[in-house]
Amino acid sequence: KLWVVNSAWSYSKADRDKSAKRGIKEEARSARTAELANWLRERLVTLGPTFIKIGQQFSTRSDILSPEFIAELVKLQDKVPAFSSELALQTIESELGVEHWKEKFSYLEAEPIAAASLGQVHKAVLLDGVTDVVIKVQRPDLKGLFDVDTKNIRFVAQILQAVDPKTDGAARDWVAIYDECCRILYQEIDYKLEGEYAEGFRNNFSDLPWVKVPKVYWDLTSEKILTLEYSPGIKVSDKQALVAKGVDPAVIARYSVECYLQQILVKGLFHADPHPGNIAVDASNPADPKLIFYDFGMMGRIPNNIRKGLADFFYAVYSNDVDAALDGLVAMNVLVPNANADMTAIRRTGRFFLDTFKTRLREQREQRKKMKAQFGGRDGSKAKSKEEKAETRKKILSNIGQDLLVVANDQPFRFPALFTFVVRAFSVLDGIGKQLDPRFDISEISAPYARDLLLEQRPGFSKLKDNYEKGAKRQWDATKGLFVAPLKINKIEGILDSLSAGDTKLRGRALEG
């Protein structure tokens, strides 16, 4: 269908224009694309909750999908068709063990204020007549729908496991990724567990003034209903509304990334579904806006060893230490060295990316200073064009293309299932950031903030200690060299003998000067 939309032959003569892109008038192509996007959204809704969630994830990817698709998929964030209000009220009464909801609430709106993939939300007032709350009510027969959908998706995962060539060097386990997705998906339909996650998240960020998490009312919560403090706000991706309230969208984009780095590097409990329907902005004080988090059904916990590996990896990137970065990847089981792995190629590839990352950040800082001076305090920099991105990829391949081929062949990298949600969350936040600020660069924000977080965790003397340890290690290496050098020479001689005898073979790499 998309191919037909982008083919000039499918349009009338009146809608064709040889000078236009693909020979089609932009307004005609846009109208046809909007029809296709509407068709896709309706089909996702028809397929049910699992596929609605897939649509939600793509709704933030303005860098991948056209505006017409984004406009339709955004509706899946909070405009999913509601189910019967009568059924919702019956669920509330049944779960609370009362004959009528008035035994627990002084007021309850029959019509939902929002409907999502797994449930809908009704506004209510507690018996004190003052406290506003919201009641999240689960859709009926949700587990049965999940059982059917996940069985079909497992079949797709098994096919991917069989056909994925893994030419990028990552040995993905699609079935393990599916299992992790299923585990979190089924957790989402236990609202008591969601309440526990919400409370844990609230406690974790009680010391951060710009993060707000609604309070849980446990006496009005069960497996199928969740009662929370009413915390209204502006949708995080609604740039126009934020600007109208006097909130700087760039600040909100930065907050979203900083909060997520706190979650994965410090707290260990992270929100695995941060799409715009689950994050709002409290703009009551435009000079001091707050992020409001909703929907804690999809949460992930990062084990201490992986969190430490992440912290070590980020610190190594900050220190520009390729060996420490690789050690961090090993600690997280992302890099699994084996007998066939060419660690020289891996180290050289890592060094290239670290140097490139460092150079990129330096160039961005210099460019922003220059632009701000030129535009009187405003940042006039522009996002990279597709052509510039393609040129960057070309440079990477020309510099380390052979190393990448060696790494891809050895497949020393693994993709832990847990990282599926971390990567997806960063992808969603990147999409939100680009909607709020065209110049948004998640790496530019992450690098200094992650550095500061890690230095906070490493006390002031830590840096001196690191320098001292590195100096001491160099001294020890020099002293040790006096004694072990002869042994190494003997070892090299043994290798040469082995080569001569044909017992050892070298793998050659073609290098172009």
Side-chain angles (χ1 to χ4, degrees), residues 52-53 55-60 74 76-78 116-117 188 235-237 271-280 292-295 298 424-425 428-429 432:
I52 290 172
K53 282 207 158 291
Q56 287 174 346
Q57 301 314 312
F58 280 99
S59 68
T60 64
V74 158
L76 296 176
Q77 293 171 3
D78 50 16
S117 54
E188 269 203 278
K235 196 173 183 179
V236 71
S237 59
H271 199 300
D273 195 21
H275 67 74
N278 289 340
I279 308 176
I292 309 171
F293 282 85
Y294 307 127
D295 196 344
M298 289 185 72
R424 189 187 70 171
V428 171
L429 293 173
I432 293 172

Side-chain angles (χ1 to χ4, degrees), residues 322-379:
V322 67
D323 289 321
L326 294 179
D327 288 342
L329 294 177
V330 171
M332 292 184 284
N333 292 321
V334 172
L335 173 60
V336 183
N338 55 66
N340 297 321
D342 186 340
M343 291 305 296
T344 301
I346 294 171
R347 188 173 289 106
R348 195 157 36 225
T349 302
R351 167 53 55 202
F352 174 82
F353 280 111
L354 279 184
D355 289 344
T356 302
F357 181 67
K358 189 176 180 180
T359 301
R360 179 185 177 191
L361 291 180
R362 185 180 66 249
E363 289 175 348
Q364 286 175 335
R365 283 194 296 269
E366 291 172 354
Q367 183 189 35
R368 285 182 182 273
K369 285 180 183 178
K370 183 179 178 182
M371 288 296 187
K372 284 181 179 180
Q374 182 179 346
F375 289 91
R378 292 185 295 109
D379 183 352

